[in-house]
């Protein structure tokens, strides 16, 4: 059974920091990319940061210089270090993994989401 379990969300003050974690419980043949997305109330889900199998990283312009995505060497844990948080970062954050399963079929999985609220 595939599970992506996120943790680390919560309430932070503007200028504060939070670190999100996503543990991947899955048996992939290979992982193509791992990423964080977020969805604020009334808005579309958007990419926050993504890291591919080769280590290439891209960030949304709105978080560049403030957020850092990383993963462990086995690609079983994904992190998002969020610094200098702003109220507009308030959203539900989702972990995402795209890869090939043992049958070499491309699959995509999402976590259940973790709420991040930035408010004074």
């Amino acid at each position: 059974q595939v599970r992506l379990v996120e943790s680390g969300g919560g309430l932070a003050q503007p200028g504060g920091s939070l670190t999100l974690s996503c543990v991947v419980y899955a048996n992939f043949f290979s992982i193509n990319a791992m990423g964080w997305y977020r969805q604020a109330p009334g808005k579309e889900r958007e990419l926050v940061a993504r890291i591919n199998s080769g280590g290439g990283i891209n960030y949304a312009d709105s978080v560049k210089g403030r957020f850092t995505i990383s993963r462990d060497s086995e690609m079983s844990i994904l992190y998002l270090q969020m610094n200098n948080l702003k109220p507009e970062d308030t959203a539900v954050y989702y972990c995402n993994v795209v890869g090939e399963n043992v049958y070499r079929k491309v699959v995509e999985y999402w976590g259940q989401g973790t709420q991040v609220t930035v408010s004074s």
Side-chain angles (χ1 to χ4, degrees), residues 24 30-32 34 52-53 71-78:
V24 180
S30 65
I31 290 179
N32 299 337
M34 306 174 78
N52 63 32
S53 58
R71 56 174 165 78
D72 71 331
S73 58
E74 297 180 356
M75 292 192 284
S76 61
I77 306 177
L78 182 69

Side-chain angles (χ1 to χ4, degrees), residues 55-68:
I57 293 174
N58 58 293
Y59 294 98
D61 288 342
S62 59
V63 307
K64 283 180 181 177
R66 300 187 299 120
F67 290 10
T68 303

Side-chain angles (χ1 to χ4, degrees), residues 14-101:
S17 298
L18 287 173
T19 301
L20 305 184
S21 300
C22 173
V23 179
V24 180
Y25 297 96
N27 186 18
F28 287 96
F29 177 82
S30 65
I31 290 179
N32 299 337
M34 306 174 78
W36 290 97
Y37 290 72
R38 68 186 180 187
Q39 188 166 19
K43 294 188 176 181
E44 298 278 324
R45 189 173 296 189
E46 64 175 359
L47 173 70
V48 177
R50 194 168 186 254
I51 181 168
N52 63 32
S53 58
I57 293 174
N58 58 293
Y59 294 98
D61 288 342
S62 59
V63 307
K64 283 180 181 177
R66 300 187 299 120
F67 290 10
T68 303
I69 189 171
S70 62
R71 56 174 165 78
D72 71 331
S73 58
E74 297 180 356
M75 292 192 284
S76 61
I77 306 177
L78 182 69
Y79 302 98
L80 185 68
Q81 174 66 43
M82 304 185 293
N83 297 326
N84 191 21
L85 284 162
K86 302 176 180 181
E88 51 264 41
D89 295 319
T90 296
V92 178
Y93 284 70
Y94 297 91
C95 176
N96 172 271
V97 176
V98 178
E100 292 185 2
N101 63 16

Side-chain angles (χ1 to χ4, degrees), residues 94-120:
Y94 297 91
C95 176
N96 172 271
V97 176
V98 178
E100 292 185 2
N101 63 16
V102 295
Y103 304 105
R104 302 301 298 274
K105 177 183 176 182
V106 176
V107 291
E108 180 176 25
Y109 297 110
W110 293 89
Q112 80 284 357
T114 185
Q115 176 70 46
V116 171
T117 302
V118 184
S119 175
S120 55

